[in-house]
Amino acid sequence: MAERVFLIPPSLTLPSPTTTMALLGGAASARIIPPVSLSSSRSFFSFASSSSSSLHCFRSSPRISHLFLNQRSAKVRVSTRGFGTLSTPKSFASDPDQLKSAREDIKELLKSKFCHPILIRLGWHDAGTYNKNIEDWPQRGGANGSLRFEIELKHAANAGLVNALKLLQPIKDKYSGVTYADLFQLAGATAVEEAGGPKIPMKYGRVDVSGPEQCPEEGRLPDAGPPSPADHLRQVFYRMGLNDKEIVALSGAHTLGRSRPDRSGWGKPETKYTKDGPGAPGGQSWTAQWLKFDNSYFKDIKEKKDEDLLILPTDAALFEDPSFKVYAEKYVEDQEAFFKDYAEAHAKLSNLGAKFDPPEGIVIDGSPDSGAEKFVAAKYSTGKE
């Protein structure tokens, strides 16, 4: 509890001149934030990594910047309108300046590792466990950083995501004032934007779960090849509170990345578009330029002319289901409409189930541009224009 200051206004007559003018009640409380240990361990959200290495153990950085809260006495401010106190500034879940710096480091990581797809998948899988029918946090799942724990990494749908954690861990170590939940979503949104996609209206301040016992049970993420693809997509995404338009728009993120059969059980070991990388070669992509974010996913799924391009049952369902088809056809013809709907759906997904501190979240956009040349990931992709 913060320090309390009791002030006696000048109009009150004291029994003697030696009477104390202010009484201090209560002691400032201290809260120690313990370090969180992290160790490592097939899905609709199948973006393959550009890195093939694995990680056996992660160590989370101790958050030591605010071990003791409200330690100083509150300052008294006297004005013509009476007495008041200046309260100590509050510490939020993530530090805004560190979030901005972490974003710049993520941009550099994307330039060197071509890891756009797997960073998007990481953020989606952390958020995609949300259940709108469960009110309590963190039981409801969602964007809470739980995917850093081994028990959740071992879920079949998360195969290979340990590589994404390995890529981001140095950034987490450098910026201990950024939560894992925020870092995962920051990385995904930055990856979309750096690949040429729309600006995502993000907010930050997500609180992390504290231990593996708070991870959701397995089975909340969508499958790639269920018996009834359209029904399955609705079952999973409706549980998250998303609708048909958002399902189709989010599916469009498969314009990035590859599916690797050793992880998801889907796709070819390599194609003419993936045999030379960039990053670790191999896998089968949905599009020819699989590091360029555009509407080519919808065009290629509709045309079905290239056997080297992947079409999962859940992809084909977008043009087979009457409701999904309305949006899929629209996005084939109108990339601007796709970008608008995708940006809104991505932002909504990234907020699912999250507990924000402050409650209204933290917005970091609008900061001055560094002036650096924008990285165009698409030029590193092979295939048709």
Side-chain angles (χ1 to χ4, degrees), residues 83-94:
F83 296 101
T85 60
L86 295 177
S87 54
T88 305
K90 189 183 186 307
S91 172
F92 298 136
S94 288

Side-chain angles (χ1 to χ4, degrees), residues 195-217:
K199 183 73 174 176
I200 313 297
M202 298 291 292
K203 67 176 181 178
Y204 300 95
R206 296 168 186 80
V207 176
D208 277 342
V209 295
S210 59
E213 70 280 358
Q214 295 177 312
C215 291
E217 73 281 2

Side-chain angles (χ1 to χ4, degrees), residues 4 14 49 66 93 101 118 146 232 244 247 286 288 328:
R4 294 173 293 172
L14 299 175
S49 170
H66 298 92
S101 297
I118 200 171
S146 63
H232 175 72
D244 285 1
I247 292 172
W286 285 264

Side-chain angles (χ1 to χ4, degrees), residues 105-120:
D105 285 15
I106 290 169
K107 291 179 181 179
E108 293 302 313
L109 177 68
L110 293 167
K111 292 178 183 179
S112 62
K113 298 296 184 180
F114 312 102
C115 53
H116 305 66
I118 200 171
L119 294 188
I120 297 171

Side-chain angles (χ1 to χ4, degrees), residues 75-345:
K75 298 179 181 179
V76 178
R77 173 175 61 197
V78 181
S79 71
T80 57
R81 290 176 287 184
F83 296 101
T85 60
L86 295 177
S87 54
T88 305
K90 189 183 186 307
S91 172
F92 298 136
S94 288
D95 179 87
D97 291 332
Q98 289 196 28
L99 282 165
K100 294 177 185 177
S101 297
R103 180 167 59 182
E104 296 308 308
D105 285 15
I106 290 169
K107 291 179 181 179
E108 293 302 313
L109 177 68
L110 293 167
K111 292 178 183 179
S112 62
K113 298 296 184 180
F114 312 102
C115 53
H116 305 66
I118 200 171
L119 294 188
I120 297 171
R121 181 175 171 232
L122 178 69
W124 280 27
H125 281 218
D126 195 46
T129 60
Y130 175 62
N131 187 339
K132 68 177 183 179
N133 301 311
I134 301 175
E135 183 177 353
D136 294 337
W137 183 93
Q139 293 89 335
R140 64 193 182 214
N144 57 30
S146 63
L147 190 46
R148 72 190 191 271
F149 292 111
E150 181 178 13
I151 188 173
E152 190 170 346
L153 281 171
K154 287 184 174 180
H155 293 178
N158 295 328
L161 283 179
V162 65
N163 296 310
L165 280 168
K166 181 181 180 181
L167 291 169
L168 289 179
Q169 190 62 38
I171 298 177
K172 179 67 176 77
D173 292 340
K174 184 177 179 180
Y175 303 107
S176 60
V178 175
T179 63
Y180 278 99
D182 272 349
L183 184 61
F184 294 167
Q185 301 308 322
L186 176 66
T190 304
V192 170
E193 294 165 8
E194 291 296 293
K199 183 73 174 176
I200 313 297
M202 298 291 292
K203 67 176 181 178
Y204 300 95
R206 296 168 186 80
V207 176
D208 277 342
V209 295
S210 59
E213 70 280 358
Q214 295 177 312
C215 291
E217 73 281 2
E218 187 168 6
R220 294 196 186 186
L221 295 172
D223 294 326
S228 302
D231 291 342
H232 175 72
L233 289 176
R234 288 194 175 93
Q235 180 182 4
V236 173
F237 284 91
Y238 284 10
R239 188 208 68 221
M240 300 182 207
L242 300 174
N243 59 35
D244 285 1
K245 181 176 75 171
E246 290 160 338
I247 292 172
V248 179
L250 289 171
S251 298
H254 277 156
T255 191
L256 299 178
R258 302 164 284 176
S259 178
R260 296 182 181 273
D262 58 324
R263 296 178 186 171
S264 67
W266 293 92
K268 299 178 180 180
E270 69 174 29
T271 70
K272 62 177 176 285
Y273 302 118
T274 66
K275 64 180 181 179
D276 297 321
Q284 185 176 14
S285 59
W286 285 264
T287 63
Q289 292 184 298
W290 49 268
L291 283 178
K292 179 182 180 181
F293 197 102
D294 58 16
N295 67 338
S296 60
Y297 164 81
F298 297 103
K299 295 179 179 179
D300 291 334
I301 296 298
K302 182 180 180 179
E303 293 175 359
K304 299 181 181 181
K305 292 181 178 179
D306 194 333
E307 292 184 355
D308 269 347
L309 297 181
L310 180 64
I311 301 178
L312 297 172
T314 46
D315 299 318
L318 303 183
F319 285 93
E320 294 169 355
D321 180 87
S323 178
F324 289 160
K325 186 176 181 179
V326 171
Y327 302 106
E329 292 282 5
K330 178 181 179 181
Y331 299 152
V332 167
E333 302 298 331
D334 191 342
Q335 180 170 284
E336 184 176 346
F338 166 52
F339 275 26
K340 177 181 180 297
D341 291 348
Y342 178 85
E344 293 173 356

Side-chain angles (χ1 to χ4, degrees), residues 11-70:
S11 60
L12 181 62
T13 304
L14 299 175
S16 69
T18 60
T19 300
T20 303
M21 294 294 292
L23 303 174
L24 299 180
S29 62
R31 177 166 64 93
I32 298 178
I33 304 173
V36 179
S37 296
L38 172 63
S39 61
S40 79
S41 65
R42 289 178 295 226
S43 131
F44 167 85
F45 297 135
S46 291
F47 303 101
S49 170
S50 295
S51 171
S52 60
S53 59
S54 62
L55 184 67
H56 297 293
C57 180
F58 290 104
R59 297 185 302 273
S60 65
S61 301
R63 297 177 61 192
I64 59 176
S65 59
H66 298 92
L67 289 180
F68 299 97
L69 307 178
N70 302 324

